[in-house]
Amino acid sequence: MPACMGNFIRWIGTPLLQITNYLGELAILTGELWYSLVRSRIRWGIVARQLVTIGFGSQLQVIVTGAFTGAVFAAQVYYKFNQLGFESIVGGIVALAMSRELGPVLTALMLTSRVGASMAAEIGTMKITEQVDALRSLGVHPVDFLVAPRFLAMIFSVPLLIGESIRFGMGAARLMVVGLFNVPEAFYEDQLYKNFTLDNLWFGMAKGIVFGYLIVVVCCHQGLNVRQGAVGVGRGTTSAVVITSLGILILNFFLTLALNYVWPVVRT
Amino acid sequence: MPAPGLQPLIEVRGLHKRIDGQHILRGMDLTINLGESLAIIGGSGTGKSVTLKLIMGLMSATSGSIKVDGVEITSLNERQLGPHRRKIGMLFQDGALFDSLSVAENVAFPLREAGEKDAAKITAVVHAALDDVGLADSKEKLPSALSGGMRKRAALARALVTNPRCILYDEPTAGLDPIISDSIDHLIRRTQKRHKCTSVVVTHDMKSVRTVADRVVYLREGVVFFAGTPAELFASEEPLVKQFVEGRSGEED
């Protein structure tokens, strides 16, 4: 085989092997997580503490992100649709966008930066200070103690946070469009409620739960695999945020196509 | 073969361990008997701490056999190792206390994880364990508020509460001043006698060896190079053993 062919195969093969290996590790962690949820004791005390950290602690970011995104989105849609005389349908578009895309994606990105980074750093620090080994030496599986409670808290919190983000986004949009641009309230609300359907809400929630799973599994995996001291914790945390954020955006594309078969956009 | 009258608790045979391409253990054989206090000494990077982690199942062996209480542990997975690990306590180099829990909560942790629900019983056992190690007054403190010696005492209390058959100590006196080191050494010896448990102490400290050990093994190049009593170690005329015991680097100014 010519040398350039060997180099090409190596150039293609090395990252492919690394990605396959990484996905394999995530699959093993997922398997351990399910085993833990089904067969091991759930530590509800830790779940409650994580609910406070993930759910209650993320409210400000989620509300601010949702509200300002809703307001800005409504303003941009209004500026264009006003030229065409379609300003009455702005409410419908805001409802559709917030519940199907902006609410779940922005909430997940906020949770990645706030909660995912903290998970990776906390577990990574426990790893390098031998606290994870101490857990194992006491006969406690790290996934049972560190990953499963965070996963449950995330799965409980994400739908509520997405709901909050959508609600504040639509509220801010209404303030902009009805309050500032003087679109008649009746037209705005009519279109808004025609599009703010349960199906659209399920669409957003389903995405949110997948994103929540991704945040916990990727960030805990990075934390549990930290090496090389403080530098390793920094690298692990950065990688956790980058991989999860990119994963959310890529997965969102495929989820949008797939979920549209389950909950299609209805004609209004 | 174990000596007559001695019952082996841990048997290591032909143990190899490679880490990142480095061959750390090269066919190590070691028997640790029930109730004895064994010190493992050796230069940095000779695999002393790795040996403890392999016995605890925290690392997997490249090849070889490790039997603890007659059970071959090298073939067990992480979940199957849980019950085995509960029979052995381990004291990590810096204590490895859970930093979000107070000292008392750290010590109570193994009891709660073992399914103990009686709060009064947990409190009594924790108090007795902390009293044992001289930390009864510090039970509400967080690990960050403790000195190095206190952290090791608290970690020892945590390792003791479930009455393990064996305790593994990973450099228990590293980074401590001579007086605190001496008090930790005596605590290890007292604990071994009071709880009638086996002790395996990894150390660089020759003074510790005199205090804590019934038997010493010296690791060199991944195998047991010397095994004997502390008296035999200090009387050894083997040049490499002598050099290590006397702490001579061979360099001159």
Side-chain angles (χ1 to χ4, degrees):
Chain A
M1 188 175 18
C4 62
M5 189 68 169
N7 287 340
F8 178 73
I9 291 172
R10 197 174 301 117
W11 183 69
I12 295 281
T14 305
L16 211 62
L17 276 176
Q18 283 170 343
I19 292 170
T20 311
N21 187 45
Y22 179 69
L23 292 177
E25 285 178 14
L26 291 188
I28 290 169
L29 182 57
T30 303
E32 285 290 348
L33 174 61
W34 284 109
Y35 183 95
S36 178
L37 293 171
V38 175
R39 302 285 295 274
S40 299
R41 183 166 60 86
I42 303 291
R43 287 145 175 93
W44 291 107
I46 306 175
V47 175
R49 277 199 293 277
Q50 289 296 325
L51 271 173
V52 174
T53 309
I54 298 170
F56 185 73
S58 304
Q59 305 243 348
L60 181 67
Q61 284 91 333
V62 167
I63 289 172
V64 170
T65 309
F68 278 89
T69 305
V72 168
F73 182 72
Q76 294 288 12
V77 174
Y78 170 81
Y79 293 142
K80 186 66 199 168
F81 279 37
N82 186 37
Q83 294 168 356
L84 306 169
F86 290 159
E87 65 271 20
S88 60
I89 64 165
V90 173
I93 291 172
V94 167
L96 202 68
M98 283 307 296
S99 52
R100 289 173 82 100
E101 294 299 334
L102 297 176
V105 172
L106 293 176
T107 302
L109 291 175
M110 280 294 114
L111 285 174
T112 302
S113 62
R114 204 192 85 83
V115 179
S118 146
M119 277 181 197
E122 188 180 339
I123 296 174
T125 306
M126 285 183 74
K127 177 83 192 301
I128 61 160
T129 54
E130 294 189 306
Q131 290 177 58
V132 173
D133 277 347
L135 267 182
R136 295 169 69 206
S137 77
L138 295 168
V140 179
H141 198 292
V143 173
D144 294 355
F145 193 80
L146 298 171
V147 186
R150 284 169 169 80
F151 175 76
L152 286 175
M154 181 65 88
I155 295 304
F156 289 141
S157 303
V158 159
L160 298 174
L161 291 169
I162 289 175
E164 203 167 34
S165 168
I166 294 169
R167 189 71 201 90
F168 275 85
M170 293 199 314
R174 187 183 179 283
L175 275 179
M176 286 294 290
V177 179
V178 177
L180 201 67
F181 302 137
N182 298 318
V183 171
E185 190 171 357
F187 287 154
Y188 181 86
E189 300 243 316
D190 175 57
Q191 279 298 315
L192 184 117
Y193 288 115
K194 275 182 184 158
N195 286 282
F196 185 53
T197 60
L198 205 56
D199 275 5
N200 286 345
L201 207 55
W202 285 131
F203 191 102
M205 296 300 170
K207 277 186 175 180
I209 287 170
V210 176
F211 296 155
Y213 154 79
L214 189 73
I215 294 169
V216 173
V217 170
V218 170
C219 296
C220 289
H221 175 265
Q222 287 296 329
L224 287 169
N225 287 284
V226 157
R227 294 172 81 180
Q228 299 166 341
V231 176
V233 175
R235 280 195 196 131
T237 308
T238 308
S239 301
V241 173
V242 172
I243 295 168
T244 312
S245 304
L246 293 178
I248 286 168
L249 296 172
I250 294 166
L251 212 56
N252 183 50
F253 168 73
F254 293 105
L255 282 172
T256 298
L257 298 184
L259 292 175
N260 206 49
Y261 285 102
V262 186
W263 296 294
V265 178
V266 289
R267 184 187 287 266
T268 53
Chain B
M1 280 284 283
L6 294 176
Q7 190 188 341
L9 177 69
I10 298 166
E11 292 175 281
V12 174
R13 294 288 172 265
L15 190 63
H16 287 262
K17 178 66 185 171
R18 285 177 191 272
I19 301 174
D20 295 335
Q22 244 189 308
H23 206 160
I24 309 288
L25 297 179
R26 299 160 184 250
M28 187 173 85
D29 293 319
L30 178 67
T31 301
I32 301 166
N33 298 309
L34 198 64
E36 79 169 334
S37 182
L38 176 82
I40 301 178
I41 59 170
S44 300
T46 50
K48 304 183 298 298
S49 298
V50 168
T51 303
L52 292 193
K53 288 187 174 176
L54 287 165
I55 291 171
M56 199 62 177
L58 298 174
M59 279 181 170
S60 52
T62 305
S63 66
S65 155
I66 304 168
K67 280 187 183 171
V68 178
D69 220 3
V71 177
E72 177 63 52
I73 65 154
T74 50
S75 54
L76 302 181
N77 66 31
E78 183 72 19
R79 293 207 182 263
Q80 291 168 330
L81 279 164
H84 149 73
R85 286 175 181 151
R86 285 185 206 111
K87 291 187 211 162
I88 304 177
M90 182 155 179
L91 187 77
F92 290 86
Q93 221 173 87
D94 290 314
L97 295 172
F98 305 125
D99 46 21
S100 58
L101 303 180
S102 70
V103 169
E105 286 167 338
N106 261 286
V107 178
F109 184 87
L111 297 172
R112 292 192 206 281
E113 284 301 321
E116 183 58 64
K117 291 198 166 48
D118 185 346
K121 190 176 171 190
I122 291 174
T123 309
V125 173
V126 167
H127 188 80
L130 286 174
D131 208 28
D132 240 13
V133 298
L135 279 182
D137 296 335
S138 304
K139 60 183 176 187
E140 297 308 325
K141 287 183 180 167
L142 284 172
S144 55
L146 302 179
S147 67
M150 287 165 92
R151 272 204 294 276
K152 286 182 181 174
R153 283 168 180 270
L156 180 56
R158 183 177 68 183
L160 280 173
V161 282
T162 49
N163 291 318
R165 299 190 74 190
C166 173
I167 300 186
L168 312 176
Y169 299 87
D170 189 4
E171 302 203 23
T173 57
L176 302 178
D177 71 55
I179 294 170
I180 303 287
S181 293
D182 189 55
S183 86
I184 294 280
D185 288 339
H186 282 97
L187 180 62
I188 292 169
R189 201 55 168 163
R190 224 170 34 242
T191 302
Q192 189 228 346
K193 285 183 177 159
R194 193 179 295 171
H195 295 266
K196 296 186 172 51
C197 59
T198 307
S199 298
V200 183
V201 185
V202 160
T203 186
H204 283 116
D205 187 345
M206 291 303 120
K207 193 166 171 289
S208 289
V209 172
R210 285 184 203 277
T211 313
V212 301
D214 298 324
R215 206 157 61 88
V216 193
V217 295
Y218 171 49
L219 296 191
R220 192 178 157 80
E221 292 174 353
V223 292
V224 173
F225 186 76
F226 168 93
T229 63
E232 287 166 348
L233 175 82
F234 292 111
S236 175
E237 289 300 321
E238 159 60 45
L240 292 169
V241 175
K242 210 169 170 189
Q243 184 188 9
F244 184 81
V245 169
E246 291 172 2
R248 283 184 288 106
S249 69
E251 290 176 24
E252 285 178 19
D253 293 334

